[in-house]
Amino acid sequence: MQDVLDIKVTRLSPAGGAEISGVDLTRPLIPAEIKAIKQAWADNLVLVFRDQTLSQDDQLRFAAYFGPLGERKGALAREEIRHLSEGVAQTDRRVLLVSNKKVDGKPIGAFGEGEMWFHIDSGYAEKPYMYSFLFAEELPSTGGNTLFANMYKAYEQLPADLKAKLADKKALHMHEYARSNRVSIPDDLSKTLHYFHPLFTRHPVTGRLTLFVDRLMTQRIEGVSSEESEAILAQLYEIGERKENIYEHVWRLGDFLMWDNRCTIHARTWFPPEEPRLLRRCTVEGGPIQA
């Protein structure tokens, strides 16, 4: 544990994650507090603030300390699935409600039910979100935990021959909504949000190499056969999702989480579908991924 101003940083897992206390997120922060939070974030990848009472405006103000706020990219999806991320209670383009709740049979938000495989928020975009922020408003009695995998560690665990083989390779990341199943790659990719990112990327702040792959959206490695791509991806998924690489967050009401999409992937565990779950997300826009 360490003290910075009144801020305490308590590590939660060897894989990452730290609880931050001693800061009131409902008020404007001073530069020294922002600096301390940024350092804790670089060191721990995922930060947790407990017992918060954040309004939407509080959340957006806080997130804006870390860069330009992102907007939901679902409006850019192909027409057949566009509605799946455009919930009826989402009144601000910068906010997404992660919820299974409905009004008059219509979802209030998006991504609401069941298990969700490991993914990178907007990893299918040329400029994926840099950071994500999530606030817990309603929770089920059990489940719905969020798993965060440390992709610095995943890169370090790759066999040397595989690192050499994949050093200059890119992979296709594709936007679809089968949350816990592989999807088929369409013959015409132009109608699907997608982008080819390097398999290995360098974090612009820490300078460390990370494995930029996730089970949900990474579909194919360029420059190898389909069979070899599937075999390599299966190996990469397994390494990234090893237990020793994962911090599992068990939510409490009032939890506020922030994580770095450039060096983590995250997933959701199953929860009872008849119980309401509502979390409020905002993001910070990113830049081009650096190889």
Side-chain angles (χ1 to χ4, degrees):
M1 183 181 294
Q2 66 185 61
D3 292 331
V4 182
L5 304 173
D6 291 327
I7 297 175
K8 295 184 185 298
V9 181
T10 305
R11 192 72 183 267
L12 296 172
S13 163
E19 181 174 341
I20 307 296
S21 58
V23 57
D24 180 2
L25 300 185
T26 65
R27 62 167 177 78
L29 301 185
I30 62 173
E33 289 174 312
I34 299 168
K35 182 179 179 181
I37 291 170
K38 285 182 176 179
Q39 184 60 59
W41 207 356
D43 293 341
N44 296 285
L45 288 65
V46 180
L47 299 183
V48 181
F49 298 78
R50 301 281 194 186
D51 303 316
Q52 299 295 310
T53 55
L54 295 180
S55 68
Q56 181 168 295
D57 287 344
D58 290 334
Q59 182 171 345
L60 292 171
R61 181 188 64 249
F62 176 77
Y65 289 129
F66 304 95
L69 295 176
E71 295 191 352
R72 298 192 306 275
K73 301 186 190 301
L76 304 174
R78 57 185 175 86
E79 186 174 356
E80 294 86 347
I81 62 172
R82 191 177 305 155
H83 68 284
L84 295 174
S85 62
E86 295 302 294
V88 296
Q90 295 177 157
T91 57
D92 189 314
R93 294 293 312 164
R94 301 168 297 176
V95 174
L96 183 142
L97 301 178
V98 181
S99 183
N100 61 345
K101 298 179 68 176
K102 295 182 179 180
V103 174
D104 297 328
K106 296 180 179 180
I108 68 168
F111 314 124
E113 297 176 351
E115 176 190 5
M116 194 167 186
W117 275 357
F118 277 99
H119 59 284
I120 300 162
D121 284 343
S122 78
Y124 52 81
E126 179 181 2
K127 299 176 182 180
Y129 298 129
M130 188 182 308
Y131 303 125
S132 295
F133 307 80
L134 200 58
F135 177 63
E137 294 192 15
E138 294 184 60
L139 296 172
S141 60
T142 187
N145 301 341
T146 303
L147 312 176
F148 293 95
N150 183 328
M151 300 307 275
Y152 292 137
K153 289 182 175 292
Y155 175 78
E156 292 166 359
Q157 293 165 7
L158 295 177
D161 59 341
L162 191 58
K163 285 182 181 178
K165 181 180 180 64
L166 302 179
D168 299 319
K169 292 285 193 293
K170 294 184 176 183
L172 168 66
H173 295 247
M174 193 173 71
H175 178 268
E176 287 296 343
Y177 280 89
R179 298 182 192 125
S180 57
N181 286 291
R182 295 296 298 279
V183 296
S184 299
I185 301 172
D187 294 332
D188 182 5
L189 274 173
S190 66
K191 296 180 180 179
T192 297
L193 294 175
H194 71 281
Y195 202 78
F196 287 86
H197 290 297
L199 285 166
F200 306 148
T201 64
R202 190 172 296 279
H203 195 287
V205 175
T206 66
R208 298 176 65 185
L209 284 169
T210 180
L211 175 61
F212 199 81
V213 165
D214 68 82
R215 186 180 293 272
L216 185 64
M217 296 183 185
T218 309
Q219 302 295 334
R220 184 182 73 220
I221 298 173
E222 278 192 312
V224 300
S225 69
S226 176
E227 293 77 12
E228 187 175 12
S229 174
E230 285 294 299
I232 293 173
L233 285 176
Q235 185 177 6
L236 298 180
Y237 300 151
E238 182 276 325
I239 293 171
E241 298 172 12
R242 287 175 178 170
K243 187 175 181 179
E244 63 264 31
N245 295 336
I246 291 175
Y247 161 61
E248 180 170 1
H249 184 71
V250 181
W251 288 91
R252 303 178 196 167
L253 286 176
D255 278 358
F256 179 66
L257 261 66
M258 50 195 284
W259 66 90
D260 191 330
N261 276 296
R262 297 166 297 182
C263 52
T264 65
I265 57 177
H266 60 284
R268 182 176 68 209
T269 65
W270 178 91
F271 63 95
E274 69 279 5
E275 297 185 16
R277 185 177 187 269
L278 171 60
L279 300 99
R280 185 176 64 222
R281 191 195 79 174
C282 67
T283 58
V284 164
E285 288 289 2
I289 299 298
Q290 301 179 17

